[in-house]
Amino acid sequence: MSGSTTISGALWKDMKSEALPAEEQAKLFVGEDKWHTYGTGDIRSLMMADGPNGLRIETGEAVGFRPAVPAVAYPTLSALGCTFDKELMYRFGQVLAQECIRDGVDILLGPGINHKRSPLCGRNFEYFSEDPVLSSELAIGYVKGLQDCGVAACVKHFAGNSRETGRLVQDSIIDERTLFELYLYQFERAVKQARPWSIMAAYNLLNGEYCCENETLLREILRRQWGYDGTVISDWGAVSDPLKAAQNGLNVEMPGPDHGTSDVLLEGLQNGQLAETVFRENTETLRRFAERCSHPKKNEKDIDHFAFAQELAERSAVLLRNEGSLPLKKEKTIAVIGAFAETPRYQGAGSSKVNCLSVDSLREALNEDGITYIYAKGFQPDSDESDPVLIREAMDAAQKCDQVVLMLGLPDGKEAEGFDRETMALPENQNHLVEHLLQVNPDLTVVLQCGSPVLLPWADKVQAILLMYLSGCRGGHALKRLLFGEAVPSGKLAETFPLADEDVPCAPYYTDDLLQAQYREGIFSGYRYYSTFEKPVRYVFGHGLSYTSFRYDDLQADADESGLHVHVTLTNTGMYAARETVQIYTSLPTSRIVRPVIELKGFTPVFLEPGETRTVSIDIPQEDLMYYDTGVHQRQLEEGNYTVYAASSSDDLRLSAYIHLDGTETPYSVLKKEIAETEEAFTELLGYPLPVERKAH
Ligand code: BGC
């Protein structure tokens, strides 16, 4: 490198690219094998492993998902979304980086930050939230945590990948405003603020073009508008036209080895179909990537990874309901019912599945503490059929005890990568069991293990509901501590729990049509829909109870050109030291455009001892206050009197303040219709004819 002192850096880099024969540069466009980028000359091959909630390093030669090196399974991202804690995600990134460094992994394939359009998406357990600001804040922490230690993140799946069924062929048709406000905004914030070294382009098409070949997505939006200089990697097997993919901004087709792609590209270069700059830029991108991954790794802290997995599980749990049964009373007798108390559902199925070193259970945690209880299995977890013998045993156990803890959830077979659920309902045998147990013991606490929302028809009849999501390999110990008040639940829902399948705004458009997904509900997705249209739900976005209580005082909001600055004073008025997540929502009742009645703009978790008071400040960047204007194709701030809410959930708005924002010059040229119920209305919203449905290739 010493020669570079006499010539400019850019020229030196060009010379280095040219020094690599075109054949070698062509090979850089494809993985060396299933888990490595191609290495040549001074560009080193990089190793990847699946995440996002633990490492999956495949071993062996089998086809499909192979056995993996044993590792720690942390709670999945749908659980971690409930922490609302960016700093915690930064620590999580650092902990994952430590494992990557130990095992020689350069790139961790995560986090997944797709917008949760429907709770039925089979892979929602791998995603954080139905709110883009929340998803991106957590992703920023995670990515920075990893990369500050020298390990690359690979943010996925870019973009509009909201279904699993048909994901390889489906065209997500999303109007411009909805795209920029809900489906791209979390990627944009993560790209601009955390600068991930790699991004994974999704399987599906977006507005007529495969994501891996989508010039608008990869070149215009990602690179030109957002200034991205990292590597775009294809999802595994997502490239259909390698020439078009390379031309339009994809850097690496995965998995390798190369089955002809580099020859196609070389030929394209020779016959002029592919510009030389495409080769040069790609080589530079791969060189930059390898250099970034080759900085000295930072790995100094000695962390107990299992203890951290437990901490994450405790922080993720959401207390959905509590009529006073929780915490459990140690002096009273306890029945523990449900197969998941013995064999927990603790992680998702598919490419994120960790070969976990060891997994605990609630029973194991109770036994270790010498807590006596009666156990009954209650139901067969992999079946919908009720088993009369198991029900009888469970009723006997419940009858004999003062308090009942019933563990319910979704088995792997109901929720996995590769297909969507057909309903949010729990298996029928589990709902039956609840009804039977209520006949013999009203003091029923339900614990839920599932990756995404389920229907809870009996919710108002039970005493308490504690949502653990998929809480990783130390979820059993975390659960025991939460049940007995040794840890206090502080999670807040990062997605709405609806009352019925048909209540979900995209339900009519989440159809069996595998080739085209029309996002007709537009910006009215998740709580943006339920709150605006006053649609009742089971549990609102941001909901989560505690064993203590909090008082909100003195909300103040002021603004300058950088954005909004909110201050609020919080007091722990109860008996337990605990965390509350202060949530800031804004509203513009006099808006001249169609917009949700409230939107989350900021949040912060605050830990307080009983009686402690603290004033917290939350800064909201101006860009987050804007809507996307399709007339000028950019974000605009609408002038007006905004209401700022300090809230404990999206429908527990404790305090409000008012502030006038001057706004940017804006034509207010956005959608006139609220939800495009018909194809004509949707076409009008899109502003161009619907792409003709094509045949799957
Ligand atoms: C998944 C990716 C994953 C990759 C490698 C794909 O099927 O969609 O998220 O990283 O496989 O296992």
Side-chain angles (χ1 to χ4, degrees):
M1 291 290 281
S2 57
S4 63
T5 50
T6 55
I7 51 180
S8 81
L11 185 54
W12 173 248
K13 283 191 168 168
D14 274 5
M15 286 176 65
K16 285 205 290 187
S17 295
E18 277 156 20
L20 266 185
E23 290 76 10
E24 285 303 292
Q25 295 197 46
K27 287 184 188 162
L28 286 169
F29 282 97
V30 197
E32 192 160 289
D33 59 27
K34 197 170 170 189
W35 299 109
H36 291 85
T37 60
Y38 184 73
T40 180
D42 62 334
I43 302 176
R44 154 172 105 74
S45 160
L46 302 172
M47 177 175 168
M48 319 178 189
D50 261 315
N53 55 293
L55 261 63
R56 188 177 72 90
I57 303 175
E58 280 192 356
T59 57
E61 292 306 318
V63 177
F65 294 126
R66 301 168 185 172
V69 173
V72 178
Y74 298 93
T76 66
L77 271 53
S78 59
L80 297 174
C82 304
T83 67
F84 279 60
D85 194 335
K86 188 179 184 177
E87 297 310 315
L88 189 63
M89 289 307 97
Y90 182 83
R91 279 175 59 209
F92 185 34
Q94 288 188 310
V95 168
L96 289 168
Q98 235 180 32
E99 296 188 30
C100 290
I101 294 164
R102 183 198 62 205
D103 293 336
V105 173
D106 299 294
I107 308 160
L108 187 69
L109 302 174
I113 62 172
N114 291 83
H115 173 74
K116 295 190 185 190
R117 181 182 180 219
S118 162
L120 298 181
C121 173
R123 211 171 178 181
N124 273 2
F125 64 84
E126 271 192 70
Y127 304 139
F128 284 123
S129 176
E130 67 184 26
D131 182 86
V133 172
L134 176 56
S135 293
S136 52
E137 282 296 289
L138 300 178
I140 290 163
Y142 182 116
V143 171
K144 285 188 172 170
L146 269 175
Q147 296 192 167
D148 282 357
C149 296
V151 175
C154 184
V155 174
K156 62 191 189 182
H157 305 90
F158 190 55
N161 183 182
S162 317
R163 290 203 67 163
E164 284 300 292
T165 305
R167 65 178 174 167
L168 302 180
V169 292
Q170 202 158 64
D171 192 356
S172 299
I173 310 291
I174 312 178
D175 71 87
E176 187 181 348
R177 179 181 178 196
T178 302
L179 193 59
F180 279 93
E181 289 192 9
L182 284 192
Y183 292 87
L184 292 183
Y185 198 40
Q186 65 280 55
F187 286 99
E188 177 176 353
R189 291 180 97 259
V191 163
K192 290 182 173 168
Q193 295 182 42
R195 309 220 147 267
W197 299 341
S198 61
I199 283 185
M200 187 185 292
Y203 282 121
N204 54 285
L205 297 90
L206 179 62
N207 291 337
E209 296 285 349
Y210 276 102
C211 290
C212 289
E213 301 159 13
N214 198 313
E215 187 179 4
T216 311
L217 185 67
L218 302 184
R219 284 216 184 275
E220 169 58 24
I221 296 173
L222 178 63
R223 295 204 188 274
R224 202 192 66 73
Q225 294 184 17
W226 302 349
Y228 185 63
D229 73 351
T231 302
V232 182
I233 298 172
S234 80
D235 202 338
W236 269 230
V239 174
S240 68
D241 181 341
L243 197 77
K244 199 169 165 194
Q247 180 75 56
N248 291 340
L250 188 84
N251 299 112
V252 181
E253 176 185 335
M254 287 301 288
D258 182 2
H259 293 294
T261 289
S262 60
D263 289 343
V264 171
L265 299 183
L266 211 50
E267 208 182 301
L269 181 71
Q270 280 151 4
N271 66 25
Q273 275 181 289
L274 214 52
E276 269 178 47
T277 49
V278 172
F279 264 53
R280 198 169 29 243
E281 278 168 17
N282 196 62
T283 303
E284 284 324 312
T285 303
L286 269 296
R287 175 173 287 116
R288 190 162 48 238
F289 195 21
E291 280 168 5
R292 283 173 172 163
C293 293
S294 304
H295 286 155
K297 306 281 188 239
K298 213 177 91 194
N299 185 12
E300 71 270 10
K301 275 197 212 112
D302 196 14
I303 303 163
D304 178 339
H305 290 232
F306 286 106
F308 187 62
Q310 183 175 324
E311 182 185 341
L312 289 177
E314 286 173 14
R315 291 290 311 279
S316 305
V318 185
L319 185 58
L320 295 175
R321 174 179 171 86
N322 191 12
E323 297 296 292
S325 285
L326 292 182
L328 297 175
K329 324 291 172 284
K330 275 196 171 139
E331 61 285 1
K332 290 188 175 179
T333 52
I334 306 168
V336 173
I337 297 171
F340 297 117
E342 193 158 56
T343 326
R345 170 106 196 286
Y346 65 100
Q347 64 170 333
S351 61
S352 65
K353 191 164 190 159
V354 173
N355 177 10
C356 196
L357 278 161
S358 83
V359 184
D360 72 355
S361 68
L362 176 62
R363 293 201 65 189
E364 189 185 312
L366 294 173
N367 296 345
E368 269 174 27
D369 266 17
I371 298 171
T372 51
Y373 60 93
I374 302 178
Y375 171 70
K377 185 172 180 181
F379 58 90
Q380 296 291 1
D382 290 329
S383 163
D384 281 29
E385 299 292 317
S386 291
D387 182 328
V389 177
L390 295 182
I391 290 183
R392 189 69 257 156
E393 274 172 25
M395 288 175 76
D396 284 350
Q399 209 156 20
K400 283 189 194 126
C401 296
D402 302 323
Q403 326 165 82
V404 182
V405 174
L406 171 62
M407 290 194 62
L408 304 179
L410 291 173
D412 263 7
K414 296 266 179 201
E415 179 186 45
E417 178 180 341
F419 65 88
D420 298 323
R421 287 188 292 164
E422 280 169 11
T423 169
M424 284 186 277
L426 283 166
E428 217 22 61
N429 54 353
Q430 299 191 29
N431 288 329
H432 273 151
L433 183 61
V434 176
E435 299 298 343
H436 279 96
L437 294 179
L438 281 170
Q439 290 167 20
V440 293
N441 193 333
D443 195 351
L444 187 57
T445 291
V446 174
V447 175
L448 293 170
Q449 290 190 328
C450 46
S452 31
V454 289
L455 301 181
L456 305 168
W458 32 257
D460 296 339
K461 299 189 210 160
V462 302
Q463 288 298 301
I465 306 176
L466 181 62
L467 170 66
M468 295 300 287
Y469 273 107
L470 303 177
S471 53
C473 67
R474 283 298 173 270
H477 284 80
L479 175 56
K480 186 225 73 181
R481 282 174 43 81
L482 290 158
L483 288 173
F484 287 96
E486 295 157 27
V488 179
S490 63
K492 298 282 186 175
L493 284 182
E495 60 187 321
T496 309
F497 266 52
L499 279 169
D501 288 332
E502 57 273 20
D503 291 351
V504 176
C506 69
Y509 325 116
Y510 206 76
T511 61
D512 291 337
D513 182 350
L514 294 187
L515 294 183
Q516 196 173 84
Q518 299 181 9
Y519 286 49
R520 290 205 210 157
E521 72 286 1
I523 55 169
F524 292 104
S525 178
Y527 74 87
R528 287 172 165 74
Y529 166 77
Y530 302 110
S531 57
T532 305
F533 294 90
E534 295 178 357
K535 190 94 189 159
V537 298
R538 181 67 70 193
Y539 297 115
V540 298
F541 177 87
H543 171 71
L545 304 171
S546 174
Y547 297 154
T548 191
S549 49
F550 297 95
R551 199 181 62 231
Y552 286 62
D553 291 303
D554 298 330
L555 174 65
Q556 285 171 34
D558 51 79
D560 57 26
E561 61 290 346
S562 71
L564 197 59
H565 310 286
V566 183
H567 314 278
V568 64
T569 302
L570 193 70
T571 304
N572 182 345
T573 49
M575 306 297 284
Y576 286 83
R579 241 175 223 90
E580 163 75 331
T581 292
V582 175
Q583 302 163 44
I584 306 297
Y585 296 86
T586 60
S587 174
L588 182 56
T590 57
S591 179
R592 281 178 273 176
I593 61 167
V594 170
R595 56 162 85 215
V597 64
I598 49 162
E599 286 182 289
L600 181 74
K601 298 297 175 189
F603 50 86
T604 187
V606 190
F607 182 83
L608 294 176
E609 297 291 337
E612 192 182 346
T613 295
R614 192 171 324 145
T615 299
V616 295
S617 301
I618 299 172
D619 294 323
I620 297 160
Q622 194 173 77
E623 193 158 38
D624 287 344
L625 299 166
M626 297 179 168
Y627 73 98
Y628 183 91
D629 194 297
T630 50
V632 287
H633 308 292
Q634 63 185 38
R635 292 201 161 70
Q636 298 286 341
L637 184 63
E638 187 182 358
E639 185 264 331
N641 290 319
Y642 286 74
T643 311
V644 179
Y645 295 104
S648 183
S649 82
S650 63
D651 80 346
D652 188 3
L653 309 171
R654 298 287 182 90
L655 299 170
S656 51
Y658 304 93
I659 186 139
H660 184 88
L661 298 179
D662 286 341
T664 43
E665 283 287 315
T666 170
Y668 308 126
S669 45
V670 292
L671 77 165
K672 312 280 183 297
K673 300 245 176 347
E674 295 194 320
I675 291 181
E677 278 168 9
T678 63
E679 197 151 302
E680 293 67 47
F682 188 53
T683 310
E684 197 188 319
L685 172 60
L686 283 175
Y688 55 85
L690 272 170
V692 179
E693 281 202 39
R694 83 257 171 265
K695 297 234 176 309
H697 63 255

